[in-house]
Amino acid sequence: MPYAHITGWGMSVPETVLTNEDLSKMVETDDAWIRDHTGIRERHIARENQFPSTLGVEAAIKALAVANVRPTDVDLIICATSTPEYIFPATACLIQDQLGASKAGAFDLLAACSGFIFGVNMAAQAIRSGSIKTALVIGSETLSRFVDWKDRNTCILFGDGAGAFVLQASDLPGGVLSAVMHSDGSGGDSLSLPGGGSHHPATEATVREGKHYIQMDGAKVFRFATRAMGSAAKEALELAGMTTDDVQWIIPHQANYRIIETAARYLKMPLDKFIINVDRYGNTSTASIPIATVEAVEKGLLKPGDKIVLVGFGAGLTWGALAAEWTGPLPVEHKVHPERYRIWARLHSVFNRLVRFIEGLIWGRNS
Ligand code: COA
């Protein structure tokens, strides 16, 4: 049975930064309160022309370039997102098209902030079963579009961004070692976005009532999160036959510094074994774990051979963890320059549209 290795990683965040100071001019809050209660200092916010696919493609191109995998060699694209561009088509399909990943099957996965862990686990299972060789897992969000900027309970927490992993099959031992996924739908109402779906289709009334904004019972979610993080990490470690002593890094979902502190206490691990960057990005939902991972690699903290645990929780309710041995890129003979990925993606997209246009002309569908 092949092993599923994480061989590429990339991230992308919008350039616009919204600080706590900026927020204090929008709602009744202040920098000290936000930092004390969440650990967040600032977050990135998408421009009008930036979408989950835009950010996701950029993160994916970087991940493919690190792994030296051509878009046409990708078999499967999973986009974990809590803020899909449309109900359908899937954001993963938009990314598949923009990347020129012509061979890949693509779908979205909705498990809120646990989605990236669930997605990596699904991709790893597909690789280990032998049904695919190469997968791209993306977490991409523009949460700022669903935040009520007048609600200080929620608007301080969230940010936009994307992260991506490439997973590849190899006979070398390592890669994803174990994973656990959990859900408790009875807690669904403590964190939800009720408007715009088939229960509350968009109407003037749903917009007036603010049903298209994130609704949250912060205290309930906080209590659930502190229980879920530690227990899931422990479960994944046990399943992999490891203990906390074997682990170099825990990479948690970045929702709140205090939640991460509680998980560290539960696991009896020092906080400096946790990768934490919630101060600079806020909660970017499915993107938070890959963004934290990319930064850990780029700072030289995370190295090949390190044992890591990814752990997260989110709406649903959902929670999960995944233990892995960090691999790095597999050896290749010919390294492709990262810019070529962008050139290919652009050409492929233009070519596809041209083919569809000509098809329409020939068969008379353009009129
Ligand atoms: N600025 C200033 N005051 C604020 C505030 C803000 N942004 N938000 C809330 N407050 C006020 C409250 O109104 C309350 O005032 P009151 O006592 O007069 O009613 C007081 O601060 C304490 O509020 P409380 O809700 O008890 O704060 P808290 O310590 O629980 O922190 C959260 C609130 C939201 C930060 C915290 O509950 C949390 O992080 N929950 C988890 C949320 C999460 O992670 N969601 C995403 C999951 S993926």
Side-chain angles (χ1 to χ4, degrees):
M1 191 168 70
Y3 294 87
H5 291 267
I6 300 163
T7 59
W9 47 87
M11 63 175 272
S12 169
V13 290
E15 309 73 31
T16 312
V17 172
L18 186 74
T19 64
N20 291 348
E21 202 54 46
D22 298 330
L23 271 171
S24 70
K25 293 174 192 135
M26 299 159 63
V27 285
E28 203 187 328
T29 189
D30 57 77
D31 177 51
W33 193 97
I34 302 174
R35 271 193 289 114
D36 290 351
H37 288 75
T38 68
I40 301 168
R41 284 192 289 120
E42 57 191 37
R43 65 289 289 144
H44 292 246
I45 304 293
R47 289 192 313 264
E48 258 179 39
N49 63 350
Q50 283 176 316
F51 305 100
S53 66
T54 330
L55 298 170
V57 164
E58 197 48 38
I61 284 179
K62 290 178 185 166
L64 290 167
V66 169
N68 209 53
V69 166
R70 290 167 182 75
T72 42
D73 289 335
V74 176
D75 301 307
L76 173 68
I77 298 176
I78 301 177
C79 180
T81 179
S82 310
T83 55
E85 241 161 274
Y86 311 105
I87 289 184
F88 57 83
T91 303
C93 294
L94 307 180
I95 293 174
Q96 178 267 335
D97 172 47
Q98 290 173 45
L99 278 178
S102 46
K103 197 176 90 180
F107 66 89
D108 284 359
L109 186 156
L110 176 46
C113 306
S114 314
F116 192 76
I117 292 174
F118 284 27
V120 173
N121 183 32
M122 291 294 96
Q125 299 294 348
I127 287 173
R128 292 166 70 126
S129 75
S131 70
I132 63 163
K133 285 199 161 50
T134 305
L136 187 56
V137 182
I138 299 154
S140 190
E141 305 288 357
T142 49
L143 287 145
S144 60
R145 308 254 156 84
F146 299 96
V147 160
D148 178 355
W149 292 103
K150 293 192 197 76
D151 175 11
R152 67 176 183 176
N153 291 301
T154 51
C155 75
I156 58 156
L157 297 174
F158 299 101
D160 300 336
F165 281 0
V166 171
L167 280 92
Q168 282 180 277
S170 163
D171 292 331
L172 298 170
V176 176
L177 304 172
S178 70
V180 292
M181 304 190 292
H182 292 295
S183 302
D184 175 8
S186 72
D189 57 354
S190 53
L191 183 54
S192 66
L193 207 162
S198 42
H199 198 112
H200 298 293
T203 61
E204 271 179 47
T206 59
V207 175
R208 208 169 39 245
E209 289 158 15
K211 283 196 161 66
H212 303 84
Y213 293 134
I214 295 170
Q215 329 260 308
M216 185 182 75
D217 180 335
K220 245 192 202 171
V221 175
F222 192 92
R223 278 197 303 277
F224 147 69
T226 50
R227 281 194 311 270
M229 291 267 269
S231 65
K234 208 163 157 214
E235 255 186 282
L237 280 171
E238 279 167 12
L239 214 63
M242 300 197 299
T243 71
T244 50
D245 292 338
D246 300 312
V247 173
Q248 276 71 44
W249 298 108
I250 304 270
I251 306 176
H253 171 45
Q254 313 282 318
N256 183 320
Y257 187 80
R258 287 157 57 212
I259 293 174
I260 299 174
E261 267 183 332
T262 314
R265 272 200 301 278
Y266 176 93
L267 291 166
K268 300 190 178 62
M269 289 179 79
L271 207 51
D272 57 17
K273 278 203 165 191
F274 286 66
I275 304 291
I276 304 174
N277 64 7
V278 67
D279 54 325
R280 283 172 295 119
Y281 299 107
N283 181 344
T284 56
S285 190
T286 58
S288 89
I289 289 175
I291 288 176
T293 309
V294 171
E295 290 205 338
V297 179
E298 287 176 354
K299 282 186 188 150
L301 299 173
L302 180 51
K303 298 184 203 71
D306 282 354
K307 303 278 189 345
I308 61 169
V309 174
L310 314 180
V311 56
F313 63 92
L317 298 167
T318 58
W319 66 105
L322 180 146
E325 183 178 326
W326 190 250
T327 308
L330 298 175
V332 287
E333 278 173 18
H334 170 64
K335 186 112 182 93
V336 178
H337 192 278
E339 203 43 44
R340 297 216 177 159
Y341 290 84
R342 282 192 188 86
I343 295 169
W344 166 257
R346 257 178 239 131
L347 280 179
H348 187 272
S349 209
V350 171
F351 180 74
N352 257 355
R353 272 160 190 73
L354 191 66
V355 168
R356 244 170 263 138
F357 179 75
I358 293 169
E359 194 185 19
L361 281 182
I362 292 174
W363 304 113
R365 284 197 216 115
N366 279 342
S367 50

